[in-house]
């Protein structure tokens, strides 16, 4: 097993539904370790960079405005195979398709916006995690202890 660190964002729907603690507990129950955590508002610039892979989609403006409804909470989480494990814990992008027992299945939107309001972002590869940790955490904000 190789220890990795992934970047998670608690999206505005997690903040609005007040379920950050419950979701974080699911990560910690797996033994994953918090290495960095902070609340921040996301600028148009950082969202354009973070979501460059969907920037040309018709729903991108809606996603940008959703991600600015409240501040988000960025989390650097470490553990064995944490990148894939957290994606499994989240479930698929569309909360309606996510099984009960997954984070998106239990807390995501079950309405017309189920593809967008899905509680958390999490890095999907080692390369993405490295780039995203740098994007959301400055040097010294991710801790080894
Ligand atoms: P994931 O976050 O599961 O890796 P993507 O990278 O494909 O998914 O999409 C980024 C984010 O954009 C999603 O988490 C979701 O908030 C939003 N999104 C994706 N697809 C749609 C869609 N068809 N309609 C509205 N929002 C979407």
């Amino acid at each position: 097993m190789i220890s990795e660190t992934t970047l998670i964002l608690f999206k505005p729907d997690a903040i609005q539904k007040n379920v950050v603690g419950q979701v974080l507990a699911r990560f910690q129950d797996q033994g994953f370790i918090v290495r960095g955590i902070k609340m921040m508002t996301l600028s148009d610039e950082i969202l354009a960079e973070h979501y460059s892979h969907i920037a040309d989609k018709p729903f991108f403006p809606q996603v940008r405005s959703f991600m600015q409804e409240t501040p988000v909470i960025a989390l650097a989480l470490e553990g064995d195979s944490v990148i894939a494990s957290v994606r499994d814990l989240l479930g698929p992008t569309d909360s309606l398709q996510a099984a009960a027992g997954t984070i998106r299945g239990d807390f995501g939107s079950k309405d017309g916006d189920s593809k967008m309001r899905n509680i958390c972002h999490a890095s999907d590869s080692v390369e993405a995690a490295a780039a995203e940790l740098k994007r959301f955490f400055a040097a010294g904000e991710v801790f080894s202890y």
Side-chain angles (χ1 to χ4, degrees):
M1 295 275 236
I2 298 170
S3 191
E4 303 169 333
T5 304
T6 195
L7 181 278
I8 294 166
L9 297 177
F10 290 87
K11 297 185 182 188
D13 55 336
I15 310 284
Q16 289 157 346
K17 291 177 173 172
N18 218 17
V19 295
V20 172
Q22 289 181 72
V23 175
L24 180 56
R26 293 195 183 194
F27 299 142
Q28 294 190 298
D29 286 349
Q30 299 298 312
F32 299 134
I33 306 293
V34 174
R35 294 296 183 191
I37 189 164
K38 67 175 176 179
M39 198 167 207
M40 60 198 296
T41 54
L42 299 183
S43 64
D44 288 354
E45 289 71 27
I46 202 168
L47 282 167
E49 197 179 302
H50 183 63
Y51 281 138
S52 59
H53 62 293
I54 57 163
D56 59 347
K57 304 281 188 199
F59 55 81
F60 175 69
Q62 247 180 300
V63 172
R64 183 179 53 208
S65 124
F66 161 57
M67 291 297 288
Q68 294 175 329
E69 284 179 12
T70 68
V72 302
I73 292 172
L75 176 71
L77 193 71
E78 188 189 347
D80 288 337
S81 304
V82 68
I83 296 171
S85 295
V86 166
R87 298 278 299 186
D88 287 345
L89 289 171
L90 284 184
T93 305
D94 185 348
S95 304
L96 267 182
Q97 305 295 326
T102 64
I103 290 165
R104 286 169 168 171
D106 291 349
F107 300 112
S109 172
K110 295 292 190 289
D111 300 324
D113 51 7
S114 64
K115 290 183 180 142
M116 183 173 79
R117 293 180 181 269
N118 57 11
I119 305 292
C120 281
H121 163 83
S123 309
D124 63 3
S125 66
V126 171
E127 296 72 28
E132 293 174 359
L133 286 163
K134 265 182 87 174
R135 181 171 303 140
F136 291 97
F137 287 95
E141 290 181 337
V142 177
F143 297 84
S144 307
Y145 51 86

